[in-house]
Amino acid sequence: MTQQDIQASSDFIREIIDEDIKINKHSGKVATRFPPEPNGYLHIGHAKSICLNFGIAKQYKGTCNLRMDDTDPAGESLEYVDSIIQDVRWLGFDWEDRLFYASDYFEALYAFAIQLIKAGKAYVCSLTADEIREYRGTLIEPGQESPYRNRSIEENLDLFARMRAGEFEDGTHVLRAKIDMASPNIVMRDPVIYRIKHAPHYRTGNKWVVYPMYDFAHCLSDSIENITHSICTLEFENNRPLYDWIVNQLIDKNRPRQIEFARLNVSYTVLSKRRLIELVENKYVAGWDDPRMPTIAGMRRRGYTPDAIRNFCGKIGVAKNENLVDVSLLEACVRDDLNEKAPRAMAVLRPLIVIIDNYPDGQIEKIKCANHPQNPEMGTRTVPFSKRLFIEREDFEENPPKKYKRLAPGKEVRLRNAYVIRFERLIRDEKTGEISAIHCTYAPETLNGPPSDDRKVEGVIHWVSADQAIQAEIRLYDRLFNVPNPAAYEGEFTTSLNNNSLEVVTDAYVEASLKNSAPGNSYQFERLGYFCVDIKDSSPNKPVFNRIVPLRDSWGKIAGR
RNA sequence: UGGGGCGUCGUCAAGCGGUAAGACACAGGCCUUUGGAGCCUGCAUUCGGAGGUUCGAAUCCUCCCGCCCCAGCCA
């Protein structure tokens, strides 16, 4: 392990764990959990938490459970559970047989609640929701005790049993922890721990009409699972005293410890569940797996790799600072991974026809191309070459700017993997005035080497053989929003949506070797970027490629300024 | 005006009293049959501010300033 790896893999949470191991807390064991609520799809922010929790478990030879935190039937569903399972697995993590559901603990949690009542530490409160809010006080004023606070244990037990039995309407009673209505921490002002909800749960059906609240269920679920380090995000810091309070009342050994870290934000996108749902429901995107979405499903379809995402999660670090990570770091990780793994191919997005005047009519040459210029082990393929080719429209300029290295009147360029060609003349569409074809000549000796007189040819452009190339649809994706931090945007966040985040190119051509490429396969289209065969819409008859990320383009920068 | 957190390069982030890592971004250069990749160089005399302690402070102390979270029967 290099110095860099050591530094990259340490953070304040691991330091805490190191300390705990040193004092032999939990007999030196480490057990974490990733606890999503199945009411939405996982996104890159969850990926950070997944990498953290599973990463720590692996590093310390401990375990990480996958737990559905499904204590509120509203909005939770099997569809989300399935997607979560698929996404965590796709990211490369394994919880073995430890897939758990908070809803499986309902009976145990109910028993814990009774225990709390019996200890005189919880009571049934019959105030309305509005009244409870009023009694809670404000940030600067203490709350008032509920008139129901001193009900007898027997009455509480009876009422709580009848709550479970379904005798009461929603909102008529709740179970509250008896803590301190004057606490400066509002969370501690007799928090509600059970509420009545006559709503079917996607797993327990109609068995329950009372459901535990997060603060009650989470710490006890952790305890039930013998979690040692319960890692969550910063907004739960206020809840930690309550977490500890409940655990201290009900658990007497191996109490878990909650540790909070800063959630991830990424520039030019949104990561809050509410906003993501809005994008999907109002059809700003095509679904949870729209390649522009920061969801795991979206990134998977876009062609991002698990390795790239995991690497990104390692690079951003773990701390308690509010952050807005530059999306270019994510893109750099994707390029980094794909540069190594993606075989090269050629494709032309905006075709311009080139006719090689001195190339024999009807001849088709099989040109051997390396699948990866730096890695011979990736082998070679054969690409047809003929008299009629497509090149990229922007690779020809009638009046080239300075430093332009591509094809232009009087100039030569190298066709990638093939010959050097020289511009001869251009054909113009009489009606539109647009250039409709370019005539060139080729230098036959240049296939595997420089021109015979060693004259220098600077530019290299990509091409496909016009008659053998396969027509394809190529979807060019760009960032979803125009502003770095859409969540902070004054007004409706959707107004800063990038209207050009998807451009569909229907008349693109890819080289013939891509004919039967499997959905999900990724390639580098040379000089353009990384592309993958769309897993949903692509078919052999109508191939569809997604642009995963463009190549770094230093010419674009020069030309753009 | 309560409580809890956080302030180190444009963005993340190391640093844990001995004189500011690294990554991305950015800017130059080398190389190149991808203007890709790779390689090299540059990029915080300063750590929110002001005092103080110390031979020595981003690290300790005091005060101040700024930002985030908490008043769901959501998580």
Side-chain angles (χ1 to χ4, degrees):
Chain A
M1 194 183 242
T2 65
Q3 183 65 27
Q4 197 182 323
D5 289 331
I6 290 165
Q7 291 192 344
S9 64
S10 198
D11 53 66
F12 78 98
I13 296 177
R14 280 173 241 250
E15 279 176 16
I16 290 170
I17 294 173
D18 289 338
E19 284 298 308
D20 287 346
I21 289 173
K22 203 175 286 174
I23 62 173
N24 206 36
K25 196 172 174 183
H26 303 291
S27 314
K29 285 198 172 66
V30 174
T32 59
R33 99 270 89 117
F34 173 62
E37 184 186 13
N39 67 349
Y41 277 64
L42 262 24
H43 55 66
I44 185 76
H46 292 110
K48 176 181 180 181
S49 175
I50 292 165
C51 290
L52 221 206
N53 280 295
F54 281 93
I56 282 173
K58 186 176 182 189
Q59 182 182 339
Y60 291 93
K61 302 197 178 359
T63 52
C64 180
N65 301 344
L66 176 58
R67 178 165 81 224
M68 300 301 158
D69 206 357
D70 53 358
T71 57
D72 179 3
E76 295 170 358
S77 74
L78 215 49
E79 180 203 349
Y80 293 127
V81 169
D82 292 342
S83 76
I84 288 165
I85 288 172
Q86 185 190 6
D87 289 349
V88 179
R89 198 168 272 153
W90 178 78
L91 274 176
F93 297 102
D94 183 11
W95 52 90
E96 298 174 314
D97 58 348
R98 299 181 313 282
L99 167 60
F100 299 126
Y101 296 81
S103 53
D104 281 347
Y105 307 143
F106 282 169
E107 199 65 62
L109 294 169
Y110 185 81
F112 274 127
I114 286 176
Q115 201 180 321
L116 212 50
I117 293 170
K118 285 180 173 167
K121 301 286 189 168
Y123 62 96
V124 172
C125 180
S126 307
L127 255 23
T128 66
D130 285 344
E131 286 166 339
I132 285 179
R133 191 182 326 113
E134 283 163 27
Y135 275 72
R136 189 151 35 218
T138 69
L139 294 178
I140 53 173
E141 295 161 336
Q144 296 169 52
E145 296 189 349
S146 163
Y148 303 99
R149 197 171 201 260
N150 295 311
R151 286 219 253 231
S152 69
I153 290 173
E154 292 65 35
E155 187 181 6
N156 284 323
L157 253 14
D158 174 61
L159 251 16
F160 190 48
R162 290 163 61 196
M163 281 168 65
R164 174 178 182 168
E167 288 188 26
F168 308 118
E169 296 290 297
D170 288 8
T172 53
H173 308 277
V174 292
L175 185 69
R176 291 229 252 170
K178 191 189 282 191
I179 308 181
D180 178 10
M181 288 308 291
S183 172
N185 182 355
I186 292 181
V187 170
M188 299 297 274
R189 317 237 264 229
D190 288 10
V192 172
I193 56 177
Y194 260 91
R195 77 285 213 186
I196 300 171
K197 270 199 183 189
H198 290 267
H201 186 280
Y202 76 101
R203 292 190 80 237
T204 59
N206 296 311
K207 183 175 180 195
W208 292 88
V209 297
V210 290
Y211 294 96
M213 298 287 290
Y214 167 84
D215 287 307
F216 189 72
H218 202 93
C219 59
L220 293 172
S221 298
D222 284 343
S223 300
I224 289 168
E225 293 177 18
N226 284 311
I227 298 302
T228 59
H229 301 271
S230 180
I231 300 167
C232 64
T233 46
L234 243 30
E235 65 271 26
F236 291 103
E237 214 149 17
N238 295 321
N239 301 49
R240 193 171 67 226
L242 178 53
Y243 185 105
D244 291 338
W245 186 90
I246 294 171
V247 166
N248 287 340
Q249 303 303 319
L250 299 167
I251 305 295
D252 43 39
K253 58 178 200 303
N254 290 329
R255 292 169 176 152
R257 197 236 261 223
Q258 174 177 307
I259 305 169
E260 312 84 10
F261 71 100
R263 66 175 338 128
L264 171 68
N265 296 291
V266 177
S267 64
Y268 297 98
T269 191
V270 291
L271 253 32
S272 85
K273 210 171 259 184
R274 196 213 98 210
R275 293 193 179 90
L276 258 14
I277 286 172
E278 196 174 332
L279 292 176
V280 172
E281 288 187 344
N282 296 338
K283 308 265 196 275
Y284 290 108
V285 295
W288 287 102
D289 68 346
D290 186 299
R292 293 165 294 183
M293 290 284 274
T295 50
I296 308 287
M299 294 189 290
R300 174 170 57 233
R301 188 163 169 201
R302 174 81 167 257
Y304 285 17
T305 59
D307 281 349
I309 294 169
R310 276 192 264 115
N311 193 235
F312 170 76
C313 290
K315 284 187 171 181
I316 56 176
V318 180
K320 298 184 76 164
N321 303 328
E322 284 285 325
N323 59 76
L324 182 62
V325 175
D326 198 328
V327 69
S328 66
L329 178 60
L330 213 206
E331 292 170 344
C333 290
V334 173
R335 284 194 195 98
D336 215 45
D337 189 39
L338 258 15
N339 174 46
E340 209 176 288
K341 296 175 186 161
R344 316 282 116 134
M346 290 195 285
V348 172
L349 258 36
R350 276 122 184 150
L352 172 62
I353 194 140
V354 167
I355 296 136
I356 314 290
D357 290 338
N358 60 341
Y359 196 84
D361 287 339
Q363 178 171 315
I364 298 171
E365 203 170 341
K366 297 284 185 189
I367 294 185
K368 198 163 119 180
C369 303
N371 288 332
H372 190 115
Q374 275 77 44
N375 183 5
E377 283 179 19
M378 287 178 75
T380 60
R381 69 191 187 284
T382 241
V383 170
F385 185 91
S386 68
K387 190 182 182 77
R388 296 175 65 254
L389 311 171
F390 289 131
I391 65 166
E392 210 69 62
R393 274 207 112 84
E394 64 169 34
D395 284 341
F396 173 80
E397 279 291 346
E398 200 175 353
N399 301 297
K402 281 204 166 45
K403 293 190 183 172
Y404 189 79
K405 299 205 298 198
R406 285 109 98 145
L407 191 62
K411 286 188 70 177
E412 287 183 298
V413 278
R414 159 80 59 184
L415 292 174
R416 176 67 170 160
N417 294 127
Y419 301 96
V420 171
I421 57 170
R422 173 182 293 282
F423 172 90
E424 296 297 340
R425 63 197 166 91
L426 59 80
I427 309 292
R428 218 178 272 285
D429 184 300
E430 282 177 16
K431 288 186 189 105
T432 65
E434 231 173 80
I435 297 164
S436 53
I438 306 282
H439 282 261
C440 291
T441 50
Y442 84 117
E445 83 281 11
T446 55
L447 180 58
N448 291 307
S452 48
D453 61 1
D454 257 1
R455 64 183 186 279
K456 200 164 172 174
V457 179
E458 261 205 308
V460 180
I461 64 173
H462 57 92
W463 55 276
V464 293
S465 176
D467 297 327
Q468 284 77 34
I470 302 158
Q471 190 173 16
E473 173 176 319
I474 297 187
R475 299 170 180 174
L476 305 175
Y477 294 103
D478 199 355
R479 39 197 62 168
L480 236 193
F481 290 87
N482 286 318
V483 298
N485 191 3
Y489 191 77
E490 327 75 65
E492 182 51 37
F493 79 102
T494 50
T495 57
S496 61
L497 239 12
N498 175 12
N499 295 321
N500 304 314
S501 58
L502 169 60
E503 182 187 353
V504 180
V505 177
T506 51
D507 190 31
Y509 291 86
V510 301
E511 65 173 58
S513 72
L514 264 24
K515 177 109 185 124
N516 291 309
S517 187
N521 277 183
S522 296
Y523 301 89
Q524 184 199 95
F525 289 167
E526 293 201 65
R527 301 209 312 133
L528 294 175
Y530 297 95
F531 295 78
C532 72
V533 181
D534 189 81
I535 50 183
K536 266 193 177 169
D537 298 340
S538 193
S539 67
N541 298 331
K542 185 176 175 291
V544 176
F545 289 86
N546 298 323
R547 184 173 67 191
I548 304 165
V549 63
L551 251 21
R552 284 185 64 231
D553 176 17
S554 55
W555 168 248
K557 277 179 192 165
I558 296 167
R561 57 184 182 204

